[in-house]
């Protein structure tokens, strides 16, 4: 009687999970990334940093641990609030007769000017908004843009790469040509061109607000690397035995491409996807700094940095520090996680 | 290269043709009479079918004559030629400095592979890469230019040498520092790939010293992937130099195209994009030719 092997083979994803846990750096990085994701979830639901755009402090409010620092701009604002009496000009002011009526009408409206704090936990910006809240909300926007754009670029790159690698011949030739065209234009120029036509072109009204412009720009310029990798994998896999076997039992081309081959190359796609997230977050920051990224009524790490440039000259460093630290921690953790992921998914190390 | 160039021209043409909207409306503004719009359309050839417009576009590219900028009425070819020197003044030193710093660092790190120095440098590289390029520029300009006063905060002159030695060093230094971390990481992997090969083992077996192996066997063979990477690096250097031009108000192509994007000045954007793409293609071609010198096994078809 033949011996029956009574071992259930470990699924690839369980193995990945087990090896990620063994890798200490990977586990810590995963923890940090998950913490950011939880923070983003709370921020999206409005529990965290929901009031980032409220002006809760005086302009350039000091961080709580630097409460004694002189704050000229904040003091000016406080003084303006208390000494609001204008000199009497009623003799020459043509609008003077109207003042009484205006007084009455303003009296009808209820207005509450909240007391502005002199210090905030991590300081305030030019309008007295809480920098910590801005950094949390900015993380949400920046990471959302990076992940959405990376997913779109992955979709484009995987589809085209799968077609080119699987079908070969003229499909491959046409797509290779497209690849060459896109890679021979320096990416920054393609980004600028796309930004120009999307902002003032025929479809400008569709993208007037919202982060979709950035996502489109990034995914259209960034799919090429994914395409190249996926194409190479499909070329390798298309004549493997399991694919030929699937063909023999009548699997269609689409089924072979996406049911049989795709799961076997998914580790390559996953690693490249996380590399794209890191790259796109960096580009989004630069685009937002240049005013071509997220709209003005939103906050991202890039818009925070563009405000920080002028603030630094007058010695207000906390917004720069907040955006830099939030971004650096996330990107370092994500890069380390990608490295661990690559090691954990490498079949040669199994 | 020719089909690729044709593709680039087609891509740019159709991008601006179908997504760019009607140029006559951008040009004429909100309040324009029908005659004005018609006159602009005739001047730009917009009343002709699209293939005739494509013909005009190709003729403009070949003859280096993109007409005038829509907003400043300056000749586009003039803009290109007057802005290019400033861009090259910072791009070429950045490229040279980056490579000449990254190769020795990567070699040193690869020599001490697996030891403390190697690991420390790699951790520093990952951390340094996670900080945005912008932060380096903002802090660098503030610290070195404003606080310490070692360099002028910004500026540019008409004199090439003065630019190169007074105004360009700070942007160049910042860009090279930012590029150092990713380049070192990449080149280290190239060197490490070579140290595992058979001929290195043979060299070690016959008793060659480690530095000699590094210099004679590893470096020479690792130069092939390094060279490939340098040609891939060029678009990245454009990103850096464009950002620096905008930030330091250097009158180069990057700042010009950024201003053009903000004022929807399509001819300038198209011209800069196409000519810089051609330049990139030429650099790649040059790298291909250089291969045959570095690696005699490779032959150009």
């Amino acid at each position: 009687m033949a011996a029956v092997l009574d071992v259930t083979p470990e699924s690839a994803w369980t193995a990945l999970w087990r090896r990620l846990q063994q890798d200490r750096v990977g586990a810590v990085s995963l923890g940090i990334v998950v913490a950011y994701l939880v923070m983003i979830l709370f921020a999206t639901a409005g529990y965290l940093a929901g009031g980032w755009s409220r002006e809760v402090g005086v302009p350039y409010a000091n961080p709580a641990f630097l409460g004694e620092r002189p704050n000229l701009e904040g003091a000016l604002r406080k003084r303006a609030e208390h000494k609001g009496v204008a000199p009497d000009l009623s003799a020459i002011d043509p609008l003077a007769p109207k003042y009484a009526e205006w007084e009455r009408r303003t009296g009808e409206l209820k207005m509450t000017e909240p007391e502005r704090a002199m210090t905030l936990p991590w300081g305030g910006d030019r309008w007295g908004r809480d920098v910590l809240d801005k950094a949390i909300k900015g993380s949400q926007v920046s990471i959302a843009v990076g992940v959405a754009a990376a997913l779109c670029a992955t979709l484009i790159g995987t589809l085209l790469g799968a077609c080119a690698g699987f079908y070969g011949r003229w499909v491959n030739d046409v797509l290779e040509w497209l690849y060459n065209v896109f890679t021979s234009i320096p990416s920054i120029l393609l980004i600028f061109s796309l930004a120009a036509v999307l902002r003032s072109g025929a479809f400008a009204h569709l993208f007037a607000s919202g982060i979709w412009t950035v996502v489109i720009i990034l995914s259209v310029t960034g799919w090429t690397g994914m395409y190249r990798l996926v194409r190479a994998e499909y070329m390798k896999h298309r004549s493997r035995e399991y694919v030929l076997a699937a063909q023999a039992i009548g699997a269609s081309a689409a089924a072979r491409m996406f049911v049989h081959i795709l799961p076997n190359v998914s580790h390559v796609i996953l690693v490249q996807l996380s590399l794209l997230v890191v790259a796109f977050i960096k580009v989004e920051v630069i685009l937002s700094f240049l005013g071509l990224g997220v709209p003005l009524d939103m906050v991202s790490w890039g818009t925070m940095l563009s405000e920080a440039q002028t603030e630094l000259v007058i010695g207000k460093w906390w917004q720069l520090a907040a955006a830099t630290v939030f971004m650096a921690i996330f990107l370092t953790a994500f890069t380390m996680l990608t490295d661990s992921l690559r090691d954990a998914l490498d079949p040669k190390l199994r | 290269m020719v089909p690729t160039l044709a593709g680039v021209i087609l891509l740019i043409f159709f991008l601006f043709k179908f997504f760019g909207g009607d140029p006559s409306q951008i040009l004429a503004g909100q309040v324009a009479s029908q005659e004005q719009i018609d006159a602009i359309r005739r001047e730009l050839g917009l009343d002709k079918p699209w293939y005739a417009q494509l013909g005009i576009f190709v003729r403009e590219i070949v003859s280096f004559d993109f007409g005038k900028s829509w907003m400043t009425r300056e000749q586009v070819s003039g803009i290109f030629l007057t802005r290019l020197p400033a861009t090259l003044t910072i791009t070429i030193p950045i490229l040279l400095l980056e490579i000449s710093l990254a190769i020795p660092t990567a070699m040193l790190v690869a020599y001490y592979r697996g030891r403390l120095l190697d690991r420390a440098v790699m951790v520093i590289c990952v951390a340094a890469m996670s900080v945005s390029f912008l932060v380096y520029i903002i802090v660098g300009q503030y610290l070195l230019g404003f606080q310490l006063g070692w360099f002028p905060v910004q500026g540019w002159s008409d004199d090439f040498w003065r630019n190169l030695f007074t105004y360009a060093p700070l942007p160049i230094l910042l860009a090279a520092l930012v590029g150092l971390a990713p380049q070192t990481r990449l080149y280290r992997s190239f060197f490490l790939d070579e140290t595992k090969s058979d001929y290195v083992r043979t060299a070690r077996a016959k008793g060659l010293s480690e530095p000699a192996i590094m210099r004679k066997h590893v470096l020479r063979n690792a130069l092939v992937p390094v060279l490939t990477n340098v040609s891939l690096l060029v678009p990245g250097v454009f990103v850096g130099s464009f950002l620096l031009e905008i930030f330091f108000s250097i009158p180069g192509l990057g700042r010009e195209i950024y201003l053009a994007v903000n004022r929807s000045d399509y001819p300038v954007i198209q011209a800069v994009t196409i000519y810089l793409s051609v330049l990139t293609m030429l650099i790649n071609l040059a790298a291909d030719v250089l291969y045959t010198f570095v690696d005699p096994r490779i032959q150009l078809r």
Side-chain angles (χ1 to χ4, degrees), chain A residues 305-327:
Chain A
L305 286 179
S306 66
E307 288 174 20
Q309 189 198 352
T310 43
E311 291 177 358
L312 195 61
V313 181
I314 52 171
K316 317 288 181 190
W317 50 266
W318 35 88
Q319 175 144 245
L320 177 75
T324 310
V325 168
F326 268 78
M327 188 177 159

Side-chain angles (χ1 to χ4, degrees), chain B residues 189-248:
Chain B
S189 70
F190 294 154
F191 285 119
L192 286 188
D193 283 347
E194 296 301 326
T195 52
K196 285 177 199 143
S197 54
D198 290 341
Y199 55 81
V200 171
R201 198 162 11 139
T202 314
R204 203 169 283 142
K206 76 178 182 190
L208 227 57
S209 72
E210 278 294 316
I213 294 173
M214 258 343 241
R215 206 174 52 244
K216 282 193 186 150
H217 296 265
V218 176
L219 176 63
R220 278 201 188 170
N221 285 291
L223 274 186
V224 179
V226 168
L227 198 64
T228 320
N229 191 62
V230 169
S231 66
L232 291 176
L233 197 66
V234 174
V237 172
F238 280 136
V239 179
S241 98
F242 281 14
L243 208 61
L244 288 164
E245 284 169 19
I246 295 163
F247 204 93
F248 285 91

Side-chain angles (χ1 to χ4, degrees), chain B residues 7-84:
Chain B
V8 171
I9 293 173
L10 279 176
L11 178 70
I12 298 298
F13 178 75
F14 284 114
L15 187 67
F16 281 87
K17 178 86 192 109
F18 289 124
F19 294 95
D22 191 348
S24 58
Q25 278 177 7
I26 298 172
L27 263 174
Q30 296 292 331
V31 277
S33 64
Q34 193 56 45
E35 289 103 61
Q36 277 174 307
I37 291 181
D38 286 345
I40 292 169
R41 291 179 70 87
R42 220 171 304 121
E43 189 194 325
L44 296 176
L46 289 174
D47 47 354
K48 297 194 180 94
W50 66 267
Y51 48 85
Q53 292 182 37
L54 181 62
I56 297 174
F57 190 58
V58 172
R59 200 169 59 229
E60 284 175 342
I61 295 165
V62 177
S63 63
F64 290 98
D65 180 15
F66 268 83
K68 292 191 177 99
S69 151
W70 287 356
M71 303 294 157
T72 62
R73 309 307 288 169
E74 208 176 335
Q75 281 289 334
V76 174
S77 52
I79 293 183
F80 196 83
L81 290 177
T82 49
R83 308 301 195 271
L84 189 63

Side-chain angles (χ1 to χ4, degrees), chain A residues 177 180-181 184-186 189 192-193 196-197 199-203 282 285-286 289-290 305 309 312 324 327-328 331-332, chain B residues 3-4 7-8 16 19-21 129-130 132 134-135 138 142 243 247 257-258 261-262 264 266 269 273 276-277 280:
Chain A
W177 171 76
N180 281 330
V181 169
S184 58
I185 304 176
L189 290 168
F192 277 178
S193 300
V197 294
R199 272 153 45 107
S200 60
F203 300 100
K282 286 183 178 172
V285 166
I286 291 175
F289 177 82
L290 296 179
L305 286 179
Q309 189 198 352
L312 195 61
T324 310
M327 188 177 159
L331 288 189
T332 311
Chain B
T4 311
V8 171
F16 281 87
F19 294 95
M129 279 161 68
S130 305
S132 175
L134 285 172
V135 176
I138 295 174
Y142 174 72
L243 208 61
F247 204 93
I257 190 173
Y258 171 66
V261 168
N262 277 335
S264 302
Y266 289 177
I269 306 174
T273 307
L276 282 189
S277 304
T280 314

